[in-house]
Amino acid sequence: MIAAPAVLRAQTAARVVVIGGGFGGASCARALRHADAKLDVTLVEANKTFTSCPLSNEVIAGLRDIGAQQFGYDRIVAEGVRVMLQAATAIDASGHKVTLADSTTLDYDRLVLAPGIDIDFTALQGYDEAASAVMPHAYKAGEQTLLLRKQIEAMPNGGTVAISVPANPSRCPPAPYERASLIAHYLRTRKPKSKILILDAKDSFSQQKLFEQAWQQLYPGMIERIPLSQGGRVTGVEIGTRTVITEFGNYNPDVANIIPPQKAGRIAVLAGAVDRTGWCPIDAATFASKLVPDVHVIGDACLGGGIPKSAGAAQAQGKLCAAVLARDLTARPSEPPPLTGVCYSLVAPDNAFSLSGVYQPKGDLFAEVEGAKTSPVDAPPATRAAEADAATTWFKALTHDAFG
Ligand SMILES: Cc1cc2nc3c(=O)[nH]c(=O)nc-3n(C[C@H](O)[C@H](O)[C@H](O)COP(=O)(O)OP(=O)(O)OC[C@H]3O[C@@H](n4cnc5c(N)ncnc54)[C@H](O)[C@@H]3O)c2cc1C
């Protein structure tokens, strides 16, 4: 139980502004509203429709429609959250004010930043925003997802798809390997002479045994991975010649999916909440920024330590942050929800495995309470098929929880 605070604010309706209506921010705004109807909650989101990254690899592989990834904010509005569908462009931390794209200003008592990631367009030589229209990252879902899908559809049988994987911390570390698996599923059925080349800035990765076993069984000879120690780290691209440059050699794939290093969304920089790591340091118990008073940071944008940058984690953080704010801003003590996360990786439409964990604050970061639970390597096909079904059920629950 979170205890009631010693001092409550004098005003009757405390104002909380949440920037970012993704998994973290939308869940936080809803939970605040449910915690106490007297709280004045405003959610600021740049887009009218949210497009989900989880399950977007299925869209790339032609297994799912992009429409199934999209969610609006009507239900959150109906619950009494004020939703402003425009970008936040500036934050005056000392004046406790947020400025929006149309120059409207919002006053806050507490500000929650949940802007997710920005692609670091300075990290790889030659890879700027214009380059991403030729070599998509598809790490923010929507147009980029569809672009990568189109390029793979247009590729000839016998072509190569290169996927560059960044070092951690990165949004959803297993996602590039899930992507490689599902693209392989598409190629095996439509363009079986084709290959996938993973150029990796890491030597090892989470659930590696499970992925490699699946690749051997389902897509023998189709996926090659070059790890960091063998020169797999991508350092740049040349768009004119469609070249991907690594530490030890150059490649000219037919399709290049470049996933660059990432950083916290820009509004967090404008708030002064980002440190030299590119992410937002927080007190893990309260999500309070270590750099800006009365600002809390949740989801991918925060420096989380042992908790992965995942939708499940962002949602759990959003709810826990709401409980902390409700305690601070109202007289009601509240029960803190657990910080849990589960991540499903599909390697074929009817074949998935998962990784789940329970986390708790440990100083400025999060640590796993107990070791992560992962699916066994030797699970029978029926178990893998059940995990694929569970992934769909999980997604429905996740999006229902975030968007109503
Ligand atoms: C290919 C892929 C597959 C993935 N699969 C999984 C999975 O299976 N399971 C899982 O748990 N996670 C998965 N993830 C990770 C997951 O998508 C992220 O961890 C999650 O979206 C983070 O939530 P968030 O709220 O921090 O950010 P987001 O969900 O990205 O939300 C941020 C929101 O903030 C808004 N915003 C940003 N700046 C502003 C501004 N200035 N003003 C107003 N609005 C702003 C954005 O428009 C966006 O809507 C995957 C990611 C990728 C790329």
Side-chain angles (χ1 to χ4, degrees), residues 19-26 44-47 50 52-57 60 73 86-89 114-118 138-141 171-172 175-176 178-179 265-267 298-301 308-315 342-345 394 398:
I19 298 180
F23 289 107
V44 179
E45 166 54 48
N47 297 304
F50 177 76
S52 161
C53 282
L55 301 202
S56 66
N57 286 332
I60 292 166
Y73 294 93
Q86 52 180 311
T89 53
I117 57 154
D118 269 354
Y139 238 53
K140 286 193 173 196
R171 164 171 277 189
C172 198
E178 178 191 65
R179 181 173 289 178
R266 179 159 166 71
I267 194 69
I298 57 171
D300 284 1
K309 293 192 186 299
S310 72
Q315 182 161 81
V342 57
C343 192
Y344 292 92
S345 294
W394 166 83
L398 177 88

Side-chain angles (χ1 to χ4, degrees), residues 3 21 38 70 87 104 117 197 221 232 340 358 367 371 403:
K38 285 204 288 289
Q70 292 177 323
T104 305
I117 57 154
L197 178 65
T340 56
V358 180
F403 303 103

Side-chain angles (χ1 to χ4, degrees), residues 75-366:
R75 290 183 195 150
I76 300 182
V77 172
E79 288 175 347
V81 174
R82 184 157 55 133
V83 178
M84 310 290 282
L85 291 175
Q86 52 180 311
T89 53
I91 289 167
D92 169 4
S94 53
H96 285 60
K97 276 186 201 311
V98 175
T99 303
L100 306 186
D102 72 351
S103 303
T104 305
T105 56
L106 303 171
D107 296 310
Y108 66 82
D109 296 300
R110 296 293 177 92
L111 175 63
V112 179
L113 295 176
I117 57 154
D118 269 354
I119 300 296
D120 185 352
F121 283 116
T122 65
L124 307 180
Q125 202 178 358
Y127 195 80
D128 55 13
E129 195 147 10
S132 73
V134 181
M135 296 182 177
H137 52 78
Y139 238 53
K140 286 193 173 196
E143 276 177 30
Q144 281 275 312
T145 314
L146 294 175
L147 178 60
L148 182 56
R149 164 86 193 131
K150 235 165 75 183
Q151 291 186 352
I152 291 166
E153 273 178 336
M155 187 182 84
N157 187 8
T160 300
V161 179
I163 301 175
S164 86
V165 183
N168 290 335
S170 169
R171 164 171 277 189
C172 198
Y177 311 102
E178 178 191 65
R179 181 173 289 178
S181 312
L182 293 179
I183 293 174
H185 170 78
Y186 168 76
L187 295 177
R188 187 177 58 96
T189 46
R190 308 290 180 89
K191 304 173 190 193
K193 291 186 197 149
S194 308
K195 294 253 178 294
I196 296 172
L197 178 65
I198 302 174
L199 299 168
D200 206 331
K202 292 182 289 214
D203 270 329
S204 58
F205 60 93
S206 156
Q207 295 181 295
Q208 184 164 352
K209 265 197 185 149
L210 284 156
F211 276 108
E212 288 179 345
Q213 185 202 50
W215 296 343
Q216 224 170 18
Q217 286 173 355
L218 302 171
Y219 316 114
M222 195 174 233
I223 301 176
E224 182 190 358
R225 174 174 170 267
I226 304 183
L228 172 70
S229 53
Q230 288 168 30
R233 187 170 78 89
V234 169
T235 55
V237 298
E238 271 173 26
I239 291 299
T241 54
R242 294 188 79 91
T243 305
V244 179
I245 303 161
T246 70
E247 281 172 336
F248 286 107
N250 294 351
Y251 300 86
N252 293 95
D254 299 86
V255 174
N257 170 211
I258 303 295
I259 307 172
Q262 299 127 43
K263 55 189 182 178
R266 179 159 166 71
I267 194 69
V269 178
L270 297 178
V274 171
D275 72 8
R276 60 203 326 199
T277 63
W279 305 101
C280 302
I282 54 166
D283 170 350
T286 61
F287 301 91
S289 165
K290 302 285 267 186
L291 303 177
V292 195
D294 295 330
V295 170
H296 301 248
V297 188
I298 57 171
D300 284 1
C302 73
L303 258 176
I307 201 166
K309 293 192 186 299
S310 72
Q315 182 161 81
Q317 290 175 12
K319 290 179 182 176
L320 183 50
C321 182
V324 168
L325 292 179
R327 172 202 64 187
D328 284 359
L329 299 170
T330 73
R332 295 183 193 191
S334 60
E335 193 64 44
L339 259 182
T340 56
V342 57
C343 192
Y344 292 92
S345 294
L346 266 84
V347 287
D350 57 352
N351 190 333
F353 40 80
S354 63
L355 181 68
S356 57
V358 180
Y359 309 90
Q360 67 184 15
K362 195 171 177 195
D364 297 347
L365 299 170
F366 297 95

